[in-house]
Amino acid sequence: MAALGTFHRPPPASSATHHSFASRILLLLTALPLALASLAFVLQWRGGVDDPASRWPAADARVFPGMDNSSLSSPVPSVAARSASDCVEILGGSSSPSFPYYRGWKFDLDKDLKPKICITTSTSAGLEQILPWLFYHKVLGVSQFLLFVEGKAAKPHVSAVLVSIPGVQVVYRTGELEEKQAKSRIWNETWLAGFFYKPCNYELFVKQSLNMEMAIVMARNTGMDWIIHLDTDELIHPAGAAEYSLTRLLSDVPANVDIVIFPNYESSVERDDIKEPFSEVSMFKKNFDHLLRETYFGLYKVAANGNPNYFLTYGNGKSAARIQDHLRPNGAHRWHNYMKIPNEVKLDEAAVLHYTYPKFSDLTSRRDRCNCKPTKEDVKRCFMLEFDRNAYIIASTATEEEMLRWYNEHVVWNDRRLTLKLLRKGILTRIYAPMVIVQTLRESGVLSSAIASAQISSEEELNSPNQNLQNKTSALPDLSVGGSKKARTRGSENSSQAIVRKIMEVAGGTESAVPPMSPPSLDDLRMET
């Protein structure tokens, strides 16, 4: 019997073919990425690739998108040292954040902030405007917010959210507040008297000044170092600081400086359907103070875009004041001191971004707040600036279609060629930092969480807001002349005020408060020449 041996049958031809094909595929998948990587390296080394990351500043430089990095002393690193994650690093702060004033957007470092900054405002806006404005400035390092509210801002469901936010104090326009302000020093002097007893914008200007006077005392009592008056349609843009930080900007101000002036930039909207200006507007018109004189006057008419002035509304900026003895407001745009002429500096890069008529609905909202006849003569009693007057007349007399056409002709920048020309000349500029911050605040849930976490203590508080408002204003500081808290009779009060005003009128008084003013015009240039 033959011995049984081991027998190996050869593999089928089809199996061998399959194995060979798989080997080739594996080789191709290995070699292809290497070849592409080598090609990309060669092209980039020769300058053949426009790397998007190269448009961003270095992470170490900590320049936020929208900031001018011309003042940075550190050299820009090579393309290889950058990455597209720079924006995420700047916002998230994985190592050394650009914003050292929050931790995971929880803003729990307020006690460490130096200097301590207070922003005060007088507002009737709703939460959709106030919340992004407020938290944006928290990102910049603001410690305290003093909100003097009325209208929508004073509604229980709105104020309940505001008072629940750390660092926010809400002051309602109650009878008690008006009585305290009627005894304040401002009412015994003449510098604001030219704005008394007039409607609409003049009335608002007086309220703002009175509220600012009270805010100085409140901010000083809580240990604040600086105070800024800002409307809720304005955002500080702290360009020029090493970080995108208002605290860093003001900490670098010399100790002998009393007031810092922020020139204002004005929003230049590119659509007529904007709903959330802070998240949707990135183009702004620069202030005269940040432009070459030849550029400003040479392109004045073009930049005015068919309107009476270079800016739609005011052009004299806003200011921050160091809190000290004898500080007083000087209208909504400036501060002054009773005992000395303040030392002022005007910032070369930082600005206030004024979102001016960014929504079509702003035409009717201004109309609804004033009760003036829509005539050229009567609107002068209500509005200080010409564009506001024209807008009020249009909103009061035109149809919806006519209003929209007027809005597109006078507010919206629809001419792309003109826009590009003014961007190249430096009249217009793109600033993305506020947009990115506000969008991130929305996406991270900070704004919605503030609303969700606010709880009204009882049904009685909701149904009987007057008693609640009285409780909220009971701690208001006394502003009467001499600091007396003893109530005076109306007759003796009026007599005292009349005597003081008469003395000041004979003595020449003081300069009038600084109102909102249009920027320099071509007429100013002609007068100089």
Side-chain angles (χ1 to χ4, degrees), residues 233-307:
D233 62 353
E234 298 170 328
L235 301 179
I236 295 287
H237 174 54
E243 299 166 326
Y244 199 76
S245 157
L246 184 57
T247 49
R248 180 62 179 268
L249 185 74
L250 293 180
S251 67
D252 293 337
V253 174
N256 66 329
V257 172
D258 302 306
I259 295 173
V260 173
I261 297 173
F262 294 83
N264 64 293
Y265 290 8
E266 191 173 79
S267 62
S268 301
V269 299
E270 299 168 86
R271 308 193 324 268
D272 62 12
D273 61 348
I274 288 174
K275 303 300 181 188
E276 298 175 348
F278 297 153
S279 300
E280 299 179 58
V281 177
S282 65
M283 190 166 73
F284 297 85
K285 191 185 293 185
K286 284 187 177 181
N287 193 285
F288 167 78
D289 290 314
H290 287 179
L291 290 169
L292 294 175
R293 180 185 178 85
E294 306 80 52
T295 302
Y296 176 83
F297 285 114
L299 294 168
Y300 186 96
K301 288 186 176 181
V302 178
N305 201 22
N307 291 306

Side-chain angles (χ1 to χ4, degrees), residues 160-180:
V161 174
L162 298 176
V163 298
S164 71
I165 301 171
V168 175
Q169 187 167 353
V170 174
V171 182
Y172 303 85
R173 180 148 288 278
T174 61
E176 181 188 358
L177 174 65
E178 293 182 348
E179 183 179 352
K180 284 182 178 289

Side-chain angles (χ1 to χ4, degrees), residues 101 107-120 134-147 162 165-169 218-219 222-228 245-248 250 323:
Y101 315 121
F107 308 101
D108 57 355
L109 295 179
D110 286 357
K111 62 181 182 301
D112 301 324
L113 296 178
K114 294 291 183 181
K116 292 189 176 297
I117 303 168
C118 169
I119 286 182
T120 183
L134 194 153
F135 279 99
Y136 169 85
H137 289 104
K138 272 184 170 285
V139 171
L140 268 57
V142 176
S143 299
Q144 183 183 46
F145 297 83
L146 299 176
L147 310 182
L162 298 176
I165 301 171
V168 175
Q169 187 167 353
M218 297 170 73
T222 52
M224 296 295 111
D225 300 303
W226 290 87
I227 187 168
I228 304 172
S245 157
L246 184 57
T247 49
R248 180 62 179 268
L250 293 180
I323 296 178

